[in-house]
Amino acid sequence: MKVIYPGSFDPVTYGHLDIIERCAKKFDHVIIAVLNNVAKNAAFSIDERLWLLKETTKHLDNVEIDSFSGLLADYAKEKNCTTMIRGLRAVSDFEYEMQMALANRKINNDIETLFMVSNSDYVYLSSSIVREIAYHNGDISCFVPKVVEDTMKKKLKGDI
Ligand code: ADP
């Protein structure tokens, strides 16, 4: 079975990677679909987010990295894949995720959203927390792989 794991990945964290690795074991093919939405004001450009995902999932040969803009339901049709994966950390994620899953199914009745419960080690972890800590010169090495940490440092120094 082929699945799509959509998100902002701004930047990718160990929480995302845990979901990706578990998906890669369970499903034949995993498409990580990075939302390229100008309105969302991302910290990392779409190319940076795609590159970081490629670098951190190199060891998984059934994982494809792609980007999309617009509606996920349209992207799903284009990719001929109607199974979406989303991660659930806490009850606080539930309301938004439920709303998105129902809205997507309303647009395209074939779309099913499957939820994967976060690894308990990463239940508190989000890209925004990583960005916040990094902006205040905190150590993010336990939240993200080295390549993400190094890229974040370069970004903060204004080198990229
Ligand atoms: P979005 O803006 O679409 O929520 P994110 O990149 O923040 O994009 O998250 C993408 C998906 O990964 C979401 O389903 C989110 O719940 C999940 N996710 C994010 N962080 C974690 C984590 N620490 N553990 C499990 N799932 C996570």
Side-chain angles (χ1 to χ4, degrees):
M1 184 159 87
K2 182 162 89 167
V3 296
I4 296 176
Y5 177 34
S8 307
F9 305 99
D10 188 31
V12 58
T13 69
Y14 282 137
H16 296 126
L17 290 168
D18 175 67
I19 298 276
I20 294 167
E21 283 183 1
R22 284 157 58 200
C23 280
K25 273 191 207 148
K26 288 271 171 232
F27 304 106
D28 302 316
H29 191 74
V30 183
I31 303 169
I32 305 175
V34 186
L35 177 64
N36 184 11
N37 185 349
V38 268
K40 238 195 154 181
N41 232 335
F44 289 85
S45 71
I46 187 70
D47 288 341
E48 287 164 345
R49 285 180 282 151
L50 289 169
W51 181 73
L52 288 174
L53 276 160
K54 277 182 192 147
E55 287 295 306
T56 51
T57 61
K58 269 197 243 182
H59 57 297
L60 304 167
D61 43 277
N62 58 341
V63 168
E64 171 188 341
I65 316 291
D66 194 17
S67 65
F68 75 104
S69 49
L71 291 178
L72 180 61
D74 291 338
Y75 177 73
K77 204 177 277 174
E78 186 191 307
K79 287 303 241 185
N80 208 10
C81 175
T82 47
T83 310
M84 308 296 129
I85 299 289
R86 294 286 287 175
L88 271 188
R89 282 160 291 191
V91 187
S92 49
D93 276 341
F94 183 77
E95 209 174 314
Y96 173 73
E97 293 296 343
M98 175 93 172
Q99 190 184 13
M100 291 302 293
L102 290 174
N104 280 324
R105 207 169 58 208
K106 194 84 185 165
I107 300 171
N108 177 347
N109 196 39
D110 292 333
I111 290 186
E112 285 294 353
T113 305
L114 307 183
F115 294 103
M116 286 183 76
V117 171
S118 176
N119 181 317
S120 57
D121 290 342
Y122 305 127
V123 86
Y124 61 88
L125 185 54
S126 66
S127 300
S128 59
I129 282 186
V130 169
R131 293 196 305 269
E132 193 67 24
I133 294 171
Y135 289 147
H136 293 95
N137 296 313
D139 179 8
I140 57 167
S141 60
C142 54
F143 307 132
V144 295
K146 178 103 173 61
V147 65
V148 179
E149 187 189 352
D150 291 346
T151 309
M152 178 68 98
K153 279 185 186 150
K154 281 190 200 150
K155 187 159 266 305
L156 290 172
K157 275 211 275 178
D159 291 350
I160 51 169

